[in-house]
């Protein structure tokens, strides 16, 4: 692919995360230009016009795809739309970045993979942002270099600060459940750090600690899962929406000659305060604060791949496997029994 002066990007979906992606594309991502945006909501359209100075703002996705000045599309839309919108972008000749998960079922994942195979000249990337975090990248390098021997166990968690208003309760029916919404990141990390073994069986359990409204859609606000992999490796996942202190993402990789721990205590900085209340440090507030650098690197990597400057190691097959395992975990939560993956 010929390298151009910049990649012209259009974004669809301007909710909380979409607005962050839009600002990053407009102001902080090298070699790209945010030229168009799409949202059915008037106040979101006004935001990108006024704050980000985007000239082309569409109310419908078809209009964005028909724009000849758009080289690539960033999808930050509801998960239920991901597959169809990613396929439409590829059919329109656009590179596509889609937030995780790729889809909530394997059939939709397979449709996207099949369409991507028909367009080998186009880049398709799913936003597993932790792969772009400096600490996780360093961990992967150490594992690959044999620093801890053979890795055989990953323990990983995604724990959000409690939202008393329960915003996610309204979102839960379309999210796929806590494991598909939160633990899908940990699932992808575990496969990556263990060397991409095949998952065989999953078991999950959970409880509702603070948000009884989740019961209506069979979801929980705290969940635990165990996944067994071919070759004897195992992964343990914990997901929570009820942390009192802040957001806490942490991962432990245990090998035959040592272990690695990423993100312990989720410290905001290196300041430790000691006073009459004890010894403590401040904690990051949410996932975006924790992974700000990773989000920036993720989008820069996508742009570089679209410009033909680099190859992606994170594939659509990886995204499909994360969905496959997440679905087995979700089935186990509902059945109370181990489920084949």
């Amino acid at each position: 692919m010929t390298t151009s002066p910049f990649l012209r990007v259009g974004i669809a979906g301007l909710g909380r995360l979409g607005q962050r992606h839009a600002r990053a594309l407009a102001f902080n991502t090298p070699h790209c230009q945010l030229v168009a945006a799409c949202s059915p909501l008037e106040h979101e359209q006004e935001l990108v016009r006024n704050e980000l100075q985007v000239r082309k703002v569409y109310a419908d996705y078809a209009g964005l795809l028909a724009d000849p000045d758009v080289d690539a599309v960033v999808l930050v839309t509801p998960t239920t739309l991901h597959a169809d919108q990613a396929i439409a972008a590829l059919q329109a000749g656009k590179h596509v970045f889609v937030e995780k998960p790729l889809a909530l079922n394997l059939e939709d994942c397979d449709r996207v993979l099949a369409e991507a195979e028909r367009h080998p000249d186009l880049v398709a990337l799913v936003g597993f942002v932790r792969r772009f975090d400096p600490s996780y990248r360093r961990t992967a390098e150490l594992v690959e270099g044999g620093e801890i021997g053979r890795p055989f166990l990953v323990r990983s968690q995604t724990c959000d600060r409690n939202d008393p208003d329960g915003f996610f309760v309204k979102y839960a029916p379309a999210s796929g459940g806590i494991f598909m919404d939160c633990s899908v990141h940990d699932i992808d990390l575990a496969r990556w750090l263990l060397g991409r073994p095949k998952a065989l069986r999953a078991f999950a359990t959970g409880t509702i600690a603070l948000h009884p409204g989740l019961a209506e859609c069979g979801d929980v606000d705290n969940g635990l899962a165990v996944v067994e992999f071919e070759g004897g490796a195992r992964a343990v996942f914990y997901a929570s929406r009820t942390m009192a202190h802040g957001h806490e993402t942490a991962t432990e990789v245990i090998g035959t000659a040592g272990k690695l721990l990423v993100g312990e205590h989720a410290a905001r900085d290196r300041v430790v305060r000691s006073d009459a209340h004890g010894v403590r440090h401040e904690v990051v507030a949410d996932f975006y604060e924790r992974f700000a650098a990773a989000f920036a690197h993720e989008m820069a990597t996508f742009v570089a791949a679209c410009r033909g400057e680099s190859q992606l190691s994170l594939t659509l097959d990886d995204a499909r496997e994360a969905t496959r395992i997440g679905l087995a975990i979700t089935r186990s939560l509902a059945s109370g029994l181990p489920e084949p993956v």
Side-chain angles (χ1 to χ4, degrees), residues 7-340:
L7 184 76
R8 300 170 298 179
V9 180
I11 188 168
L14 295 168
R16 293 187 296 181
L17 182 56
Q19 290 176 26
R20 291 180 183 272
H21 275 308
R23 291 187 182 98
L25 288 164
F27 303 127
N28 299 320
T29 307
H31 308 301
C32 87
Q33 183 178 26
L34 183 63
V35 299
C38 173
S39 171
L41 303 178
E42 189 172 334
H43 72 275
E44 292 180 353
Q45 296 174 18
E46 288 303 309
L47 181 144
V48 293
R49 282 195 188 98
N50 298 332
E51 182 181 332
L52 307 184
Q53 302 298 302
V54 175
R55 291 189 301 107
K56 297 181 178 182
V57 181
Y58 299 93
D60 65 288
Y61 184 56
L64 178 68
L65 293 185
D67 190 331
D69 292 330
V70 173
D71 302 316
V73 173
V74 171
L75 297 175
V76 202
T77 50
T79 302
T80 51
L81 303 177
H82 285 180
D84 286 340
Q85 290 184 335
I87 289 169
L90 293 168
Q91 291 175 341
K94 317 291 188 186
H95 304 290
V96 61
F97 171 93
V98 55
E99 264 302 336
K100 62 80 195 170
L102 178 58
L104 295 177
N105 60 71
L106 292 182
E107 293 78 12
D108 281 345
C109 287
D110 289 337
R111 290 196 298 118
V112 179
L113 266 68
E115 192 64 42
E117 288 178 0
R118 287 191 279 270
H119 302 276
D121 56 323
L122 296 177
V123 171
L125 176 64
V126 179
F128 286 109
V129 68
R130 294 181 201 177
R131 292 226 193 180
F132 302 91
D133 176 70
S135 296
Y136 279 109
R137 289 164 59 203
R138 179 59 177 152
T139 298
E141 290 171 0
L142 292 171
V143 170
E144 188 174 346
E147 290 283 334
I148 60 169
R150 176 178 57 84
F152 63 87
L153 179 63
V154 169
R155 295 192 297 198
S156 195
Q157 68 177 43
T158 298
C159 297
D160 286 335
R161 188 175 189 171
N162 183 51
D163 174 11
D165 296 330
F167 168 82
F168 60 86
V169 176
K170 301 174 185 177
Y171 171 67
S175 74
I178 192 170
F179 293 112
M180 287 296 293
D181 192 36
C182 296
S183 297
V184 71
H185 282 294
D186 303 285
I187 293 166
D188 179 66
L189 280 178
R191 289 190 64 251
W192 183 40
L193 296 171
L194 291 171
R196 292 184 170 92
K198 181 181 179 182
L200 302 176
R201 190 168 66 152
F203 174 73
T205 185
T207 188
I208 297 176
L210 289 176
H211 299 278
L214 291 169
E216 294 182 14
C217 58
D219 201 4
V220 297
D221 57 19
N222 283 264
L224 288 166
V226 177
V227 175
E228 299 173 350
F229 293 94
E230 199 170 58
R234 299 291 186 266
V236 180
F237 304 122
Y238 172 42
S240 175
R241 300 193 187 274
T242 63
M243 292 292 104
H245 59 289
H247 176 86
E248 194 165 324
T249 290
T251 302
E252 185 177 32
V253 190
I254 300 173
T256 54
K259 72 173 186 176
L260 300 166
L261 181 59
V262 184
E264 186 178 23
H265 306 314
R268 173 170 282 170
D269 52 37
R270 297 184 181 183
V271 177
V272 177
R273 185 180 304 170
S274 301
D275 56 23
H277 299 288
V279 180
R280 64 195 188 279
H281 62 261
E282 292 186 353
V283 180
V284 295
D286 53 35
F287 73 95
Y288 202 89
E289 181 182 0
R290 166 60 182 88
F291 292 106
F295 276 111
H297 182 61
E298 174 186 63
M299 202 55 67
T301 300
F302 173 65
V303 170
C306 293
R307 285 163 47 84
E309 298 169 348
S310 65
Q311 295 285 326
L312 297 175
S313 60
L314 173 55
T315 68
L316 292 181
D317 283 316
D318 289 327
R320 183 189 187 276
E321 277 300 288
T323 293
R324 188 172 76 92
I325 296 168
L327 288 171
I329 292 172
T330 302
R331 290 196 304 272
S332 178
L333 178 65
S335 70
L337 300 170
E339 291 284 340

